[in-house]
Amino acid sequence: MVHVSAGQTVRLLIVDDHPVVCDGVRSLVRDAPDLEVVGSGRTAREGIELAATLRPDVVLLDLRLPDMLGSEALPRVLAVSPATRVVIFTAFEDHAALDAAMSAGAQGCLLKDVTHTDLVEQLRRIAAGVRVIDPRLKESGGAMLQARLFQLSLSRREYEVVRLAATGKTNPEIAEDLGLARNTVKTYLQTAMQKLGARNRVEAVRRAREERLL
């Protein structure tokens, strides 16, 4: 594990597809002598590659990235840089995917509206090994996601198929990942589209994002 001692600079990697967020974080930590932004990525894959190269102390990881969810990217970051502490950075305090991210090994979760002092102090604590979760967020062990799926009448399998479709995977790839027959994946996707009021998989993914499932 990373042990950041007094006087040591915390090396921070930002992974977020919005340039304004990356620039904002850089600006917020610029005056902190013990924090340094060593890089930034716009996609999960970029973030994973940078983590492998830079071996940062802390990764500030957006929950929703263009190519995959933060909960899916997180274990891959840890696989290439095991000592790094990964923090989920999100604009949504009631996002159903937060539970999965925390279960995947996140060191903490922060909302994007944190102030300068809060962000700097929280990053210091995280680098020191403290698990930090914004008090506005509630860990619920999957209850939040389950409640949202229940409201939409979506089964867990239907959700998993839509989640993988959102990452750009084809039906055969989804079938392989979930250990299902291709026709079964097709059926799950069709029923999910019906429940989400979508005409195709693109609309299904969009609706799932609107419902904060992705």
Side-chain angles (χ1 to χ4, degrees):
M1 299 295 285
V2 174
H3 296 284
V4 180
S5 57
Q8 182 178 340
T9 300
V10 176
R11 302 171 68 253
L12 175 67
L13 170 64
I14 309 164
V15 184
D16 197 292
D17 60 325
H18 293 96
V20 67
V21 173
C22 295
D23 292 343
V25 173
R26 286 180 185 275
S27 177
L28 289 175
V29 305
R30 184 174 296 140
D31 296 330
D34 56 339
L35 292 173
E36 177 190 5
V37 177
V38 295
S40 61
R42 300 285 184 84
T43 66
R45 288 179 177 82
E46 282 183 13
I48 294 164
E49 291 174 1
L50 287 169
T53 303
L54 298 172
R55 300 296 178 95
D57 299 311
V58 177
V59 172
L60 206 54
L61 180 66
D62 189 9
L63 182 62
R64 289 171 50 170
L65 292 159
D67 49 346
M68 68 182 79
L69 292 173
S71 56
E72 294 171 315
L74 196 152
R76 303 186 192 190
V77 170
L78 294 178
V80 299
S81 185
T84 295
R85 304 186 193 280
V86 182
V87 187
I88 296 297
F89 206 37
T90 179
F92 305 103
E93 61 185 87
D94 63 341
H95 201 294
L98 283 173
D99 293 317
M102 298 309 297
S103 298
Q107 183 67 22
C109 187
L110 300 174
L111 289 173
K112 291 184 179 181
D113 64 352
V114 290
T115 64
H116 170 272
T117 304
D118 284 345
L119 180 62
V120 169
E121 181 57 32
Q122 302 294 29
L123 289 174
R124 286 172 177 154
R125 295 178 64 207
I126 288 161
V130 179
R131 197 165 189 250
V132 175
I133 299 172
D134 189 293
R136 291 168 290 180
L137 297 165
K138 292 182 173 62
E139 292 182 271
S140 54
M144 188 186 299
L145 173 60
Q146 196 57 46
R148 192 71 56 84
L149 295 180
F150 180 79
Q151 290 171 355
L152 296 168
S153 298
L154 281 172
S155 71
R156 189 74 183 219
R157 276 302 195 195
E158 289 164 349
Y159 163 71
E160 289 172 347
V161 168
V162 173
R163 178 177 61 80
L164 290 174
T167 68
K169 292 193 174 184
T170 62
N171 283 8
E173 290 172 332
I174 295 173
E176 183 176 352
D177 281 2
L178 298 180
L180 300 172
R182 296 184 182 183
N183 284 341
T184 302
V185 169
K186 183 178 179 181
T187 298
Y188 278 134
L189 189 56
Q190 288 175 337
T191 55
M193 287 190 296
Q194 291 173 356
K195 293 175 181 179
L196 290 168
R199 292 170 294 182
N200 52 52
R201 64 193 294 144
V202 174
E203 283 192 11
V205 169
R206 178 177 59 78
R207 287 282 298 119
R209 290 189 187 281
E210 290 173 351
E211 293 291 343
R212 296 183 183 177
L213 291 172
L214 304 174

